[in-house]
Each structure stands twice: as C-alpha cells, then as structure tokens.
Amino acid sequence: MLARVFSAAVNGIDAYLVEVEVNCGFGDTFIALVGLPDTAVKESKDRVSTALANSGYKFPMGKTTINLAPADVKKEGPSFDLPIALGMLAASEQIETDQLENFAAVGELALTGAVRSCKGVLPIALRAKAEGKTGVLVPAENAAEAAVVDGLQVIPVQNLREAAQFLEGEIRIAPLRVDIAKLFEHVDLEDADFAEVKGQESVKRALEIAAAGGHNALLIGPPGTGKSMLAKRLATILPPLTLAEALETTKIHSIVGLLKSGQALVTQRPFRAPHHTASDAGLLGGNINPTPGEISLAHNGVLFLDELPEFKRSVLETMRQPLEEGSVTISRAAGTMTFPAQFMLVAAMNPTPDGKTLADSRSSPREIQSYLGRISGPLLDRIDLHVEVPAVPFREISGDKTGETSAEIRARVIAARQRQQARFAPKPQITCNARMGPKELKAFCALDNGPKELLKMAMTELNFSARAYDRIVKVARTIADLAGAERISGDHISEAIQYRSLDRQLWT
C-alpha cells in the first residue's frame, strides 16, 4: 500500500514542502530510501525501525520504498524521522486516518519512540501555513516557536504513539497557543546599564546617535577605557523589535539551533561578539551546505568586533558587501543562499600597536601606520562614527556621580526612530537613516547654503571620499532627529564631521 505524509525542510532561511512517499510491497524485507538523503537522513531507517518496535508497532515485512520529493534537492538532518515512521504505519495499514493530507510532521525519533527537538521549526511552520495545511505535528520542545504562526494548529507530540493516535482520532491534543503580545510585555533587558559607566559622556552621546540612526561605530582608545563595557550596553538603548523583525530573527536562530527549549520568539535584539580568530565561514556563514554565520545571527541587532585589527584582513574585507546591502550571498556547489544581515557593526581597537595613545606610544610611525593599515579605507568608509575613547580621570572613577540610565537614553532613541518611520512610511524597507539610498538622501537630507558650505570646506580640507560625504549627511540627519529638527543645521553637520576622526588625513 502507498501512503503519503507531508513534511518540510529548510533551504536558506525559508522552508520548502517535502512529500514523504512510503510504499510497502512484497519481497525480501528491505528499506530503500531515495530522494537525495544525506547521512543523517539515511540513518533514519535504523532509528525508525527501532522506534516502531519500542512503540508497540510491527515493522513492515517485504520491501519498503521511501521517497523524499522533490528528489533533486538534497535532504539534511534527522527531522524526517517522524513523517517517515507515520508513513510506514499508514502504508502497512497499522493506522487508518484521513488526516495525513491536512498536517505536516517534523521531528527526530529516539530509539524509545520519543520525539526529540529539531532545528528550523518556525520556517517549517510558516511554509505549512503557506501551503494550506491545517496544522503541524512538532516536538513538544519546539511547539512554542511554531505557535507564533497565526492561523495554524500546532500539535505538540511527545512520542510516536501519541502522534499516531492523534491522527487516528483516538486521543485529542489541544493545539498550543502563544500570546505574542504577552511575550513582548515581558522583555527583560540585560542587567547592564549605561548608568554604571563612569564618565565618557562624549562616547555615550556617539552611541546614542548610532542607536538612533542604526549607524556603524568604531571605538578607538587604549585598554581600560571602557570600550567593551560601552559596546555591550548599546543593546540596552536600541528600540524594541517589531513583530516582523522578531519573526525574521527567530527564523535565523531556529535554523542554527540557538533557541532555548520552549522559547517562542527572540524578543530582544541580538548581540553577537565573535572572537578575532573567527574564520570567513564563521562570520559570513558557509561550509559545504551554507548556514547563517555571525553577521546573520546579529540581524536586527549588534555585531561587536573587539580588537578589530586582529581579525584577518580577508575576513574584514568580506564584510564590505553585507554592510552595504544588508544581506550576504554565499555560493557553493550545493547552491546559492542569501541570508539577511542588517546589523549594526560596533568595533573596538587600540590607537597604536602597544595599546597606548599616539602621544605616549613607543611604536614608530611606520609601525603605527602598518597597524592602522590592517583596516582598509573602503571598510572605514562604511563605518559612520569613529569615536575616540579617552582614559577616564580618577575623580570621575572614584566619584559617586552616575550618568543617565539606559531607559532615559532609550526613550530619546525611540522618539528619533519614530520620526524616521514616519518619514520613510512610503518605503517600509528603509528602517532607519543608515539605510537611506541616494534618492532618500536627496529627498530628506537637503542642505541649506550654510551647512553645505561647511561640509564643502571639510571635504576639501580633510580629503573625504564620496562615501564619507554620504555618511556625514546621514549622521547629521540622525542628530537633527534627536533634536527634533526638521532641517539639518550647521551644528548638526559639525558634530557629524567630528566622528570621521580615523579618516587618513585627519588621523595623520
């Protein structure tokens, strides 16, 4: 007898429907698994046969052929165990149900028949809904993330027998429901707070501008000045995730397997801090079958690169395209994948090889230039804010005075983002000032004669590139938004210019 069960597999950050066709025939007892399965899928034959026996079912006698369609796309992972087992039960007439067409199933089977968690359940649930399925059978640990898909019955199953009995109608399992609004109500920000940072008011101001406009920032200062401390607190002043952003971020984390058991959504903006020994594949994503890397895991959040010059030059250069386009495309023999990568880059570095300031450094000018030369000019052009982080005076370290809290700064950032959202309402793909293109710059960042002359003088004297010009205007627009100003003034341009301190002419 032939049975057909629906499942799904992940390709990039989206899923596609997979038909699991099972046919039980005559002949010697043998299982043939076709449809371009990888090693993990091929091994499902042994897991499924043992799980069937330990769940009280009979193993089908004769030749059993299992086809995973479409047959020209490689199938990966153990998530096909549950649909294969249900297909074998239906093909061998051990269960009788008319619900196989209405549900998609996904899950890894233990030898006991228990259903274990698997990766990528959220994109699979989204695909099931798009294909018109009534619901999905998923591992209980993954049910919460699937339940955020509105209009889809999410059936959490603990074991194979429970899934089979549900499809036969012998038992009833209530679909899991998640209150999405409640999830966002209980977003707990990290214990870290800007109020804990002594001094560094100018740096806090720069990070507030970066957060308000979604700008990339580079913190330059000797060790012990609080660069890492400040960067880690940037996430506490970013605006909250929207539902669309949370869903897209959760999809990426689900594919990589970073969601905690029972976690429904990623409701906080990600903060990723890879080590400087990270490879190209670790940062961008890749391997034989492309998977998201650190820059995609930081999507809608912050990517923090400490000790920026210590990263391999090749790794840093590969970031230029994602920084410009907000996505990363990886081409392999297995295919081409595009992953979203709209992140805020925050990097930190010392001003000299020995970590001291330029005035105190014992390094030669050539050594200093060689150290700075590890970061290419085109990459620096894509970083909007170059922020010098000075040493904190003793009186500020030892004093009791505290600065503004993250909540106070965050309120101003949210107000500035709301102005930007209203401005870009006809173009929802532009989420902040940093994402403006040439048309938006012309439409929303027109300069009066005074600011224009000031910027012209700076461009001439400091030899800024055309890309640096765009960055200065975008940062000035954000400063104006924080001030609630409709037009960009000379003061806004002046403040934006001072954040280009690492451009070659000014630095030397």
Side-chain angles (χ1 to χ4, degrees):
M1 180 178 175
L2 175 66
R4 186 172 67 163
V5 181
F6 290 94
S7 185
V10 175
N11 182 36
I13 66 165
D14 297 311
Y16 60 94
L17 201 67
V18 175
E19 293 183 26
V20 181
E21 300 172 312
V22 182
N23 185 76
C24 293
F26 297 100
D28 297 333
T29 301
F30 176 73
I31 298 179
L33 182 57
V34 297
L36 283 183
D38 72 348
T39 302
V41 180
K42 290 177 182 177
E43 290 174 347
S44 67
K45 295 186 293 185
D46 299 312
R47 289 192 298 271
V48 168
S49 59
T50 307
L52 286 171
N54 290 330
S55 298
Y57 295 106
K58 296 179 181 179
F59 185 77
M61 304 304 291
K63 182 179 179 180
T64 301
T65 303
I66 302 167
N67 179 43
L68 306 177
D72 59 342
V73 181
K74 190 169 185 178
K75 317 302 186 306
E76 302 173 352
S79 60
F80 296 105
D81 290 2
L82 180 60
I84 288 174
L86 293 173
M88 292 176 72
L89 291 175
S92 60
E93 300 182 344
Q94 296 185 67
I95 62 171
E96 294 183 5
T97 177
D98 58 358
Q99 293 298 311
L100 292 179
E101 293 284 332
N102 300 326
F103 285 85
V106 62
E108 176 186 350
L109 288 179
L111 299 184
T112 60
V115 180
R116 289 175 171 162
S117 63
C118 57
K119 300 176 182 178
V121 169
L122 176 57
I124 288 172
L126 289 167
R127 173 50 55 189
K129 180 186 177 182
E131 295 289 341
K133 299 301 176 187
T134 303
V136 289
L137 275 65
V138 298
E141 293 181 19
N142 299 121
E145 62 177 287
V148 301
V149 181
D150 189 35
L152 186 72
Q153 293 183 29
V154 177
I155 310 299
V157 292
Q158 301 282 353
N159 52 63
L160 173 59
R161 177 165 284 277
E162 189 176 84
Q165 290 177 335
F166 169 79
L167 290 172
E168 284 190 295
E170 294 183 9
I171 62 171
R172 184 181 181 278
I173 302 175
L176 182 68
R177 302 190 185 281
V178 172
D179 188 343
I180 296 178
K182 200 170 184 180
L183 291 176
F184 283 96
E185 286 176 3
H186 292 83
V187 175
D188 294 324
L189 295 175
E190 301 291 337
D191 294 332
D193 196 288
F194 265 104
E196 301 163 351
V197 182
K198 297 292 184 71
Q200 304 294 19
E201 297 305 320
S202 62
V203 185
K204 293 178 185 176
R205 166 66 175 175
L207 292 179
E208 179 182 340
I209 294 169
H215 302 289
N216 304 318
L218 174 61
L219 306 180
I220 313 151
T225 53
K227 300 187 297 295
S228 299
M229 185 179 186
L230 286 157
K232 290 175 182 176
R233 282 156 177 74
L234 178 60
T236 66
I237 65 172
L238 291 173
L241 286 168
T242 64
L243 177 58
E245 289 175 334
L247 283 171
E248 195 168 35
T249 305
T250 305
K251 283 166 66 176
I252 298 169
H253 286 242
S254 174
I255 291 164
V256 181
L258 292 181
L259 293 183
K260 299 176 183 177
S261 176
Q263 182 178 1
L265 272 178
V266 175
T267 52
Q268 297 184 45
R269 293 192 180 272
F271 181 89
R272 305 293 300 180
H275 194 260
H276 64 260
T277 56
S279 65
D280 298 28
L283 202 64
L284 295 182
N287 298 320
I288 298 174
N289 298 304
T291 53
E294 288 290 342
I295 65 172
S296 293
L297 291 172
H299 181 58
N300 291 321
V302 177
L303 178 70
F304 177 49
L305 302 183
D306 201 4
E307 303 296 342
L308 184 66
E310 302 302 324
F311 282 80
K312 294 178 183 177
R313 179 71 176 261
S314 61
V315 173
L316 295 179
E317 291 306 300
T318 55
M319 290 179 54
R320 284 158 54 177
Q321 180 241 348
L323 282 171
E324 199 73 25
E325 299 181 6
S327 62
V328 55
T329 301
I330 302 168
S331 298
R332 295 289 185 272
T336 299
M337 304 287 181
T338 298
F339 299 113
Q342 287 196 8
F343 59 92
M344 278 182 61
L345 173 64
V346 179
M349 63 176 286
N350 297 325
T352 60
D354 57 10
K356 299 182 183 297
T357 61
L358 284 173
D360 299 330
S361 176
R362 294 184 179 180
S363 302
S364 68
R366 177 172 291 183
E367 289 173 333
I368 294 174
Q369 288 299 325
S370 176
Y371 176 73
L372 297 175
R374 297 179 188 177
I375 308 169
S376 69
L379 180 61
L380 277 178
D381 279 346
R382 287 168 170 82
I383 299 177
D384 303 346
L385 306 174
H386 306 161
V387 187
E388 295 185 45
V389 186
V392 184
F394 175 78
R395 66 178 182 276
E396 293 187 1
I397 297 176
S398 58
D400 296 330
K401 183 181 178 181
T402 58
E404 287 183 299
T405 64
S406 291
E408 292 172 319
I409 301 172
R410 193 172 191 239
R412 294 197 297 269
V413 169
I414 292 173
R417 285 287 184 107
Q418 288 173 344
R419 293 185 185 99
Q420 294 167 44
Q421 289 170 4
R423 182 184 304 130
F424 303 133
K427 297 184 177 181
Q429 72 275 14
I430 302 176
T431 56
C432 56
N433 286 336
R435 298 291 169 190
M436 284 191 290
K439 291 182 180 179
E440 290 73 36
L441 276 174
K442 185 177 180 180
F444 304 119
C445 302
L447 300 178
D448 296 330
N449 289 333
K452 186 181 294 184
E453 286 300 318
L454 179 61
L455 186 52
K456 178 183 176 182
M457 186 185 304
M459 292 288 294
T460 304
E461 295 294 329
L462 302 176
N463 197 26
F464 288 145
S465 68
R467 187 177 282 113
Y469 171 90
D470 289 347
R471 302 288 172 182
I472 291 171
V473 174
K474 290 178 183 179
V475 171
R477 178 67 266 174
T478 300
I479 296 170
D481 288 338
L482 282 168
E486 290 296 326
R487 304 284 295 181
I488 299 173
S489 70
D491 290 341
H492 304 147
I493 289 289
S494 296
E495 186 176 0
I497 289 172
Q498 76 174 358
Y499 295 125
R500 302 301 304 178
S501 63
L502 204 58
D503 279 321
R504 298 310 184 191
Q505 294 287 13
L506 184 58
W507 184 258
T508 53

